[in-house]
Amino acid sequence: MSETSLHANGVTSVSMVTIKVNGQVLRAPEGANLLTVLRQAGFSVPSLCYLEGLPGIGACRLCLVEIAGVPKLQTACTTAVRDGMEIYTNSARVREARREVLQLLLGDHPNECLFCQRSGDCELQALAAEYGVRQKQYEEMLRHFEPDLSSPALAYDPEKCVLCQRCVRVCSEVQEVNAISLVRRGIKTKVSPPFEMPWAESGCTFCGQCTVVCPTGALTEHDDTARVWQALNDPDRYVVAQIAPAVRVTMGEAWADSRGVSRDEIPEDFSERIVAGLKALGFRAVFDTQFSADLTIMEETHEFVERFKRGERLPIFTSCCPAWVRFVELYFPEQVEHLSSCKSPQGMLGALLKTYYAQKIGVDPARITVVSIMPCTAKKFEASRPELGRDGRPDVDIVLTSRELERLMAQAGIDPGKLEPQPFDSPLGESTGAGAIFGASGGVAEAALRTAYYLVSGKDPAPLEFEAVRGWDNLRTATITIDGTAVRCAVVSGLAGARRLLESGEYKQYDFVEVMACPGGCVDGGGQLRPEVKAARGLHAQKRAAGLYAIDQKKEIRLSHRNPAIQKVYAEFLGEPGSSTAHHLLHTHYQPQDAYELVAATREKEG
Amino acid sequence: MATVVSPVKTRPSIIVLLQEVQERYGYLPREEVARCARAAGISVAQAYGVASFYNFFKLSKPGKYPIRVCTGTACHVQGGQGLLERLRSELGIEPGETTPDGLFSLETVACLGACSMSPAMVVGDDVYGRVTPREIPRILARYRRRG
Ligand code: SF4
Ligand code: SF4
Ligand code: SF4
Ligand code: FES
């Protein structure tokens, strides 16, 4: 690991040099990361540890290549391009060396592919097949570990871990949460929170970004598909579902082929096909989290305008991202009071389903099972928080990620891509374009601004779009003038940016701060379908977000306060935004958490 | 941010800091690891990663009765390994760990200087020579009674 590690993105003013790959002449920027250059030129080089966009660390040794004049094989991910380099990516020697590396990895890997969540989607399994490793060279496993199943969000099985450190690097270099590291040495090495404390009690926010990049079945979402089957098979249960915005522009990546839809176009809205799929499984009704996103806007904007008028606890922090909420509770306890008291959309819909809806259909709420389909692992944790329920009953019973939805459908042999679309159920299924954009970073702020504009000025904004809060930078700011009053907004995605905003005190310059823990927002959430190429920053976010903005564009109603179903729920049940019923059902409180005694010690900044 | 070591300020090395703590306490208390991490400008997770990498560092507080088993040549020949195995299973801990009740910790030492009575072990301040694995439960019971 002594070679220079450079990456293409970090190099300024590069000179182009000539290299030769497998006899083919190629121009490449001097000093660029060789692995990235090879892949971009179409040469396939295997890797289990490299993350596009971060320097290579040479941990897995699968990207070995032969370089003329260099006696030993080199790891491409830690090699910088030099003029005149002659590289062989696929020589017999290279293939033999890679096969040996795979043999060693598989020698200490359990024979559990058949039962593994990642079977069919595992990078180690795919490479073993590609390199014709069909036999185990070493029979006995040397590593023996217990899995960590302590949290409702994540599961870690050290025996399946290839110690590639992708998870550690995403957590420390991308999210800058630093919740985990490699601990111990030799055959006892594993990934762990400090002091080998259970994941559930650690400083982890459950954002799940680490589960997106893990190449094997070692670090995954906590699988809840079995619980869904159990509920569906129980004739006494009344099982209903809700679907988050980001999921509908993602599932096409799994199912679009069956509909002949190209994966490169702006993703089609798959929501009504998911509804059809869930109905085919036996769900009694399927509702839209976009409806409760509209409801969140009503409550949150009301709270914001009240606090803004009184200059109270500004800025308001959005509270719809549970990983962000936990991040504040853990690392910035003094700023917890800034969080909006609103539950997240999944929580609000869960609460309404077990009260308003239960009354409407005359079913005992104790019999209703609410299943959320979310892009998110942190939503599993959120649903388990005692604050998000009443009388010991959770608002949401089971949370499935997009990845689990794909498995659930596969287990049932249903391809929703081939089903006739079915509409969401009424009355908690109608939504506006404002609800749809919740899934993209900046969407909550934009939806809130649209309604805040109306609440303050009595007029709807024209145009409706607030382009200033859209985009891909980790921090975007805009000042919006409503009736002569300036509202200063900041939009952050990714916890690294959030930490900077809070640590620097810069947050104090704003009135409204939206934070999504996942870089890009929920479209690239920790529970979303994994991209083929693992990168520091998801490569699908922009495309998926374009799908959400297209949904917004097409909706006839694009303002939360104009949603007739929302108006009806207020008229029939909630009264007004901020009413005592609304407070009882739709709001909660957050408080500093001391997950472990050390957080207090570590959160003080070193001067 | 915490991962970036400032190029201007020179930070003390985490290993040196941890060594000082170990000298003072005989092991690495959690709060102290956190304090060292801050002083070194790294995260607690990284500091623990370093601490757990070196066998030299003790991660848990020694028990009230630390048990040291000799694995020197003489004791090894006379069945010291069997003693260790039995202690492991009776206590449910590995060398370097402490029982949850805080009573016993287990470690191996290269030589206790009691080769004439191998295999040997020390519990607290008491030396036991020519121990057989079968005697282990009785010996442990003595200390458990004492509490
Ligand atoms: S879920 Fe997020 S915070 Fe927790 S370990 Fe993974 S990346 Fe880090
Ligand atoms: S848990 Fe996954 S990502 Fe993390 S080191 Fe192990 S194999 Fe790599
Ligand atoms: S950004 Fe979205 S997907 Fe990511 S943790 Fe927050 S709510 Fe979940
Ligand atoms: S060593 Fe280069 S990709 Fe893992």
Side-chain angles (χ1 to χ4, degrees), chain A residues 176-196:
Chain A
E176 294 181 18
V177 176
N178 288 303
I180 51 176
S181 70
L182 282 192
V183 303
R184 308 250 170 195
R185 72 196 293 175
I187 59 167
K188 290 191 172 159
T189 314
K190 61 172 181 175
V191 172
S192 171
F195 313 109
E196 288 157 74

Side-chain angles (χ1 to χ4, degrees), chain A residues 1-6 56 58 61 73-75 77-80 82:
Chain A
M1 272 137 275
S2 57
E3 295 87 358
T4 344
S5 53
L6 284 169
R61 308 206 61 78
L73 298 182
Q74 301 292 310
T75 45
C77 71
T78 57
T79 303
R82 289 186 312 272

Side-chain angles (χ1 to χ4, degrees), chain B residues 3-19:
Chain B
T3 57
V4 181
V5 179
S6 151
V8 189
K9 249 188 300 181
T10 42
R11 301 253 194 197
S13 133
I14 183 71
I15 296 183
V16 173
L17 293 171
L18 292 172
Q19 266 167 344

Side-chain angles (χ1 to χ4, degrees), chain A residues 102-113:
Chain A
L102 285 169
Q103 280 289 7
L104 284 170
L105 285 176
L106 289 164
D108 226 359
H109 198 89
N111 282 334
E112 276 172 26
C113 291

Side-chain angles (χ1 to χ4, degrees), chain A residues 172 176 178-185 188 193-197 499-500 503 597-598 601-602 604 606-607, chain B residues 1-3 9 11 29-31 33-34 38-39 43-46 48-50 52-55 59 94 97:
Chain A
S172 59
E176 294 181 18
N178 288 303
I180 51 176
S181 70
L182 282 192
V183 303
R184 308 250 170 195
R185 72 196 293 175
K188 290 191 172 159
F195 313 109
E196 288 157 74
M197 57 178 41
R499 185 185 286 278
R500 260 187 287 274
E503 249 170 22
E597 64 261 46
L598 295 169
T602 54
E604 289 164 38
E606 174 71 3
Chain B
M1 317 245 306
T3 57
K9 249 188 300 181
R11 301 253 194 197
R30 291 178 170 198
E31 302 69 32
V33 176
R38 244 181 313 146
S43 70
V44 180
Q46 285 166 325
Y48 182 80
V50 172
S52 65
F53 184 83
Y54 296 100
N55 291 330
L59 304 170
E94 293 294 310
E97 294 178 355

Side-chain angles (χ1 to χ4, degrees), chain A residues 65-89:
Chain A
V65 293
E66 202 171 335
I67 301 177
V70 183
K72 274 185 161 176
L73 298 182
Q74 301 292 310
T75 45
C77 71
T78 57
T79 303
V81 167
R82 289 186 312 272
D83 192 28
M85 246 180 183
E86 255 182 67
I87 301 130
Y88 299 91
T89 65

